[in-house]
Amino acid sequence: MENQSNQQLIQKLLNCALTCERCAASCLQEEDVAMMAKCISLDRDCSDICFQAARLLQRDSVIARQYLLLCEEICRLCAEECSKHHEEHCIQCAQACRECADACHANHQPIDQD
Amino acid sequence: MENQSNQQLIQKLLNCALTCERCAASCLQEEDVAMMAKCISLDRDCSDICFQAARLLQRDSVIARQYLLLCEEICRLCAEECSKHHEEHCIQCAQACRECADACHANHQPIDQD
Amino acid sequence: MENQSNQQLIQKLLNCALTCERCAASCLQEEDVAMMAKCISLDRDCSDICFQAARLLQRDSVIARQYLLLCEEICRLCAEECSKHHEEHCIQCAQACRECADACHANHQPIDQD
Amino acid sequence: MENQSNQQLIQKLLNCALTCERCAASCLQEEDVAMMAKCISLDRDCSDICFQAARLLQRDSVIARQYLLLCEEICRLCAEECSKHHEEHCIQCAQACRECADACHANHQPIDQD
């Protein structure tokens, strides 16, 4: 994936965040909610972090590109969990998370971990 | 304005929120930042509240439609302030805030104020 | 309840928000998660809205005191739901939400609903 | 600094976030706002990220400890900028940011950057 424009990246982040919100709300309506508990938790974290990433990029924050590293991490975790379930909202969420993770991967800057 | 679908309303809210983020960041780059101080404050509140409204709607929150009342209020205040300035980012922001305020107005539910 | 200082009010809001975060996370660990679904949803909304209220107050936002009206509403809904359950985290959450609702009630400003 | 309890860490994060909110609002009231533009931007990012970190910790998120790495980074940047100014709110903010950065540093987990 090539380096994307900010606007394309922001749209991927918002799409992922909205899909996670929808997935969490739908998981809470499922008959076997217990099976969805981990999915609900990850959806929430992923939504929070992707919305925040979109905002940092839109305001040209100095930390925005490093933030994408975290964003990629939570998107991968959320995609992995959602892909274990066969509900339509989980399938869509896994797809949105994977696309967002790839976009974050292609655009992030390293963080000094010392 | 007719009652809109959730998805149209969410797009208006996100558009307004992103425009406010951009306007605040651009105001901070202006030569006469002091003249923009009130605009920066309102942009920030408006962005925070519109993003939150979009999330509440997307997760079908019981409070979402009442939240739009607050959202309309901050959008009107932000539009009024932005319309005092002649920078392109303020003109765009005033327009996005007005459209969002109208959409919120057409879709909100009352709050019990007793 | 008397009109409180901003700092006392902010502490009540943060306490309520943190208690809701904890309650939602604990509800997701319960055996019968399905019974907790509504509680989890309300906890999340209440946490989001109380954190936002604290931030608006701390930055002296023009909208802060009107925002407390929404905040009171979600706190009452969350307290009502939590008080139906007998888990320790729900009992604590109901209490924190009621205290926060009362503090919001004593400090809010009206919103024009026309 | 020793590894701290979650609650101590959360209090440091919230203290830092609130101090940044106050600093940004105060900077916007200064006569020479232009000199404060970078400070206002960093305060905002730092507040957003520290509040989010506190919430992730409180809900025992799987990503919370990695998130602290980002949090440390923005706290250091904000402390560095605030320490260039002599206003009381900037001095307090630099101090809160440094304490928070140190706490994050002592408690974070590494992120895979490949």
Side-chain angles (χ1 to χ4, degrees), chain A:
Chain A
M1 181 175 293
E2 290 174 53
N3 197 294
Q4 298 187 301
S5 75
N6 255 18
Q7 290 312 307
Q8 288 175 300
L9 187 47
I10 287 168
Q11 285 310 312
K12 282 237 166 64
L13 287 159
L14 292 178
N15 180 53
C16 180
L18 290 171
T19 310
C20 287
E21 290 281 351
R22 171 68 56 204
C23 186
S26 302
C27 283
L28 281 169
Q29 308 282 332
E30 294 288 341
E31 273 185 54
D32 191 354
V33 190
M35 209 177 69
M36 298 307 197
K38 200 177 167 192
C39 194
I40 294 165
S41 293
L42 288 165
D43 280 338
R44 181 170 189 190
D45 295 347
C46 195
S47 171
D48 283 356
I49 292 172
C50 286
F51 270 118
Q52 187 61 54
R55 300 181 73 177
L56 292 171
L57 284 167
Q58 180 75 0
R59 68 174 87 137
D60 290 324
S61 162
V62 293
I63 200 93
R65 299 275 160 172
Q66 293 172 301
Y67 199 89
L68 296 180
L69 199 68
L70 243 302
C71 210
E72 180 187 353
E73 182 76 12
I74 192 66
C75 285
R76 298 239 182 266
L77 292 169
C78 195
E80 191 181 357
E81 179 63 24
C82 279
S83 66
K84 292 177 190 165
H85 304 290
H86 302 292
E87 286 74 12
E88 186 58 28
H89 53 82
C90 284
I91 294 169
Q92 288 180 4
C93 195
Q95 178 66 15
C97 286
R98 270 191 299 264
E99 286 180 21
C100 189
D102 290 345
C104 290
H105 186 79
N107 288 278
H108 74 77
Q109 276 177 4
I111 306 175
D112 179 6
Q113 302 204 26
D114 290 342

Side-chain angles (χ1 to χ4, degrees), chain C residues 52-113:
Chain C
Q52 187 61 55
R55 301 181 72 176
L56 292 172
L57 283 166
Q58 180 73 2
R59 68 174 87 137
D60 290 325
S61 162
V62 292
I63 200 95
R65 298 276 159 171
Q66 293 172 301
Y67 198 90
L68 295 180
L69 199 69
L70 243 304
C71 211
E72 180 187 353
E73 181 77 11
I74 191 67
C75 285
R76 296 239 183 267
L77 292 169
C78 194
E80 191 182 357
E81 179 62 26
C82 279
S83 66
K84 293 177 189 164
H85 304 291
H86 302 292
E87 285 74 12
E88 185 58 29
H89 52 84
C90 283
I91 294 169
Q92 288 180 5
C93 194
Q95 178 65 16
C97 286
R98 270 191 299 264
E99 286 180 21
C100 190
D102 290 346
C104 290
H105 187 79
N107 290 277
H108 73 78
Q109 277 177 2
I111 306 175
D112 179 6
Q113 302 204 24

Side-chain angles (χ1 to χ4, degrees), chain D:
Chain D
M1 180 176 293
E2 289 173 55
N3 196 295
Q4 298 188 300
S5 75
N6 256 17
Q7 289 312 305
Q8 289 175 299
L9 188 49
I10 288 168
Q11 285 310 311
K12 282 237 168 64
L13 287 159
L14 292 178
N15 180 54
C16 180
L18 289 171
T19 310
C20 287
E21 290 281 352
R22 172 67 58 205
C23 186
S26 302
C27 284
L28 281 169
Q29 308 282 331
E30 294 289 341
E31 273 185 56
D32 190 353
V33 190
M35 209 177 70
M36 298 306 196
K38 199 176 167 192
C39 194
I40 294 166
S41 293
L42 287 166
D43 281 337
R44 181 170 189 189
D45 295 347
C46 194
S47 172
D48 283 357
I49 291 172
C50 286
F51 269 118
Q52 187 60 55
R55 301 181 72 175
L56 293 171
L57 283 166
Q58 180 74 2
R59 68 174 87 138
D60 290 325
S61 162
V62 292
I63 200 95
R65 298 276 159 171
Q66 293 172 302
Y67 199 90
L68 296 180
L69 199 69
L70 243 303
C71 210
E72 180 187 353
E73 182 76 11
I74 191 67
C75 285
R76 298 240 182 266
L77 292 169
C78 194
E80 190 181 358
E81 179 62 25
C82 279
S83 65
K84 292 176 189 166
H85 305 289
H86 302 292
E87 286 73 12
E88 186 58 29
H89 53 84
C90 283
I91 294 169
Q92 288 180 6
C93 193
Q95 178 65 17
C97 286
R98 270 191 300 264
E99 287 180 21
C100 189
D102 289 346
C104 290
H105 186 79
N107 289 278
H108 74 76
Q109 276 178 4
I111 307 175
D112 179 7
Q113 303 204 27
D114 290 342

